[in-house]
């Protein structure tokens, strides 16, 4: 059973950076798509970014384009979300999620993923 654990959240000032990690256990992430999502208090969960672990495709929400970068490790065990120039509106709980998909070369930031991590809190405040 694939399990995901996020880490790297914390408190950062506006303009600062954080790097989130999504580590898999129980399986590698070969042929999986990884999605990154966030949920602010009182708001619905929104897609932030995604990556095809066995390919090159990535995708970003308009609100984070140019500031966030999603990546993966060569061992196919971890995905990363590098977040730069953070803004207060980036505050929320960040989740990673995975779905097995060996067919589509393109990932989606819609929340139709199978496995979810427990989330890590990101707070952007001065």
């Amino acid at each position: 059973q694939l399990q995901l654990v996020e880490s790297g959240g914390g408190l950062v000032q506006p303009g600062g950076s954080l790097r989130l990690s999504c580590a898999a256990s129980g399986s590698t992430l070969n042929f999986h798509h990884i999605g990154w999502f966030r949920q602010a208090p009182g708001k619905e969960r929104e897609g932030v970014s995604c990556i095809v672990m066995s390919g090159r495709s990535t995708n970003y929400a308009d609100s984070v384009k140019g500031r966030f970068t999603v990546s993966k490790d060569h061992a196919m065990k971890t995905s990363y979300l590098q977040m730069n120039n953070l803004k207060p509106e980036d505050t929320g709980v960040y989740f990673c999620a995975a779905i097995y998909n060996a067919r589509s070369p393109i990932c989606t930031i819609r929340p139709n993923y199978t496995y979810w991590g427990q989330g890590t809190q990101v707070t952007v405040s001065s």
Side-chain angles (χ1 to χ4, degrees), residues 68-124:
F68 289 14
T69 303
V70 64
S71 63
K72 59 189 175 182
D73 72 341
H74 294 295
M76 295 289 188
K77 296 285 284 186
T78 306
S79 174
Y80 304 97
L81 186 67
Q82 178 67 43
M83 307 186 295
N84 298 329
N85 190 21
L86 283 161
K87 304 176 181 180
E89 52 264 41
D90 294 318
T91 294
V93 179
Y94 282 69
F95 301 87
C96 66
I99 185 169
Y100 181 86
N101 189 330
R103 291 186 178 181
S104 176
I106 300 173
C107 61
T108 176
I109 57 174
R110 290 176 295 179
N112 54 336
Y113 284 73
T114 306
Y115 305 97
W116 290 80
Q118 83 292 345
T120 185
Q121 176 70 43
V122 172
T123 303
V124 184

Side-chain angles (χ1 to χ4, degrees), residues 1-31:
Q1 178 80 1
L2 177 62
Q3 293 183 321
L4 304 172
V5 178
E6 304 94 337
S7 61
L11 173 64
V12 64
Q13 292 186 343
S17 298
L18 284 174
R19 188 194 195 202
L20 305 184
S21 298
C22 173
S25 63
S27 173
T28 66
L29 296 173
N30 286 344
F31 304 113

